[in-house]
Amino acid sequence: QVHLVESGGGLVQAGGSLRLSCAASGRTLSSYSMGWFRQAPGKERDFIAAITWRDGRTFYADSVKGRLSISRDYAKNTVYLQMNSLKPEDTAVYYCAAVPGYGPSADQLRLKSWYNYWGQGTQVTVSS
């Protein structure tokens, strides 16, 4: 089992930045893909970004390209989401997720049903 814990959320003014972290335990992530999703109140949980652990290939939702960046740290077994130029519409609970696999497609990584493991989420609130 992979246990995921998100951190780094909080309250930030529009235009500001935050870096979210997702620490994994139970397994190393060498053969995994990792995703970030977010869910606003009353809305579906939407794909934000994904990364393949071994190769570092990244995938982004069109709505966040250029503002949000996903990365990973091998030594810390941790994935990050750097968020810049934040907007009020970025307000949501942010979740990280993991799935084993060497070669998922970009389409597969955008599906929340593809992931086996989920963290509990961290709240991000962007004020205007």
Side-chain angles (χ1 to χ4, degrees):
Q1 183 178 350
V2 175
H3 182 62
L4 306 174
V5 179
E6 303 96 336
S7 62
L11 177 65
V12 64
Q13 194 170 4
S17 298
L18 286 173
R19 190 182 72 164
L20 306 184
S21 299
C22 177
S25 61
R27 295 285 190 277
T28 60
L29 300 176
S30 59
S31 300
Y32 282 72
S33 295
M34 301 290 297
W36 283 99
F37 292 75
R38 67 186 181 188
Q39 187 169 20
K43 302 295 183 181
E44 296 291 327
R45 189 172 298 185
D46 293 327
F47 169 79
I48 298 300
I51 187 168
T52 57
W53 195 258
R54 190 183 71 173
D55 300 323
R57 291 174 291 137
T58 58
F59 310 88
Y60 295 95
D62 290 340
S63 61
V64 301
K65 285 183 178 178
R67 298 191 301 114
L68 276 62
S69 179
I70 190 171
S71 62
R72 85 280 198 218
D73 186 320
Y74 287 110
K76 301 295 183 182
N77 214 37
T78 298
V79 65
Y80 302 98
L81 185 68
Q82 178 67 46
M83 305 191 296
N84 301 319
S85 301
L86 285 165
K87 305 174 181 180
E89 53 261 43
D90 295 318
T91 296
V93 177
Y94 284 71
Y95 299 88
C96 70
V99 60
Y102 289 101
S105 69
D107 289 341
Q108 289 169 328
L109 291 175
R110 290 180 168 88
L111 298 173
K112 53 182 178 290
S113 61
W114 190 252
Y115 295 85
N116 298 73
Y117 308 102
W118 292 85
Q120 295 300 308
T122 185
Q123 176 71 48
V124 172
T125 302
V126 183
S127 62
S128 60

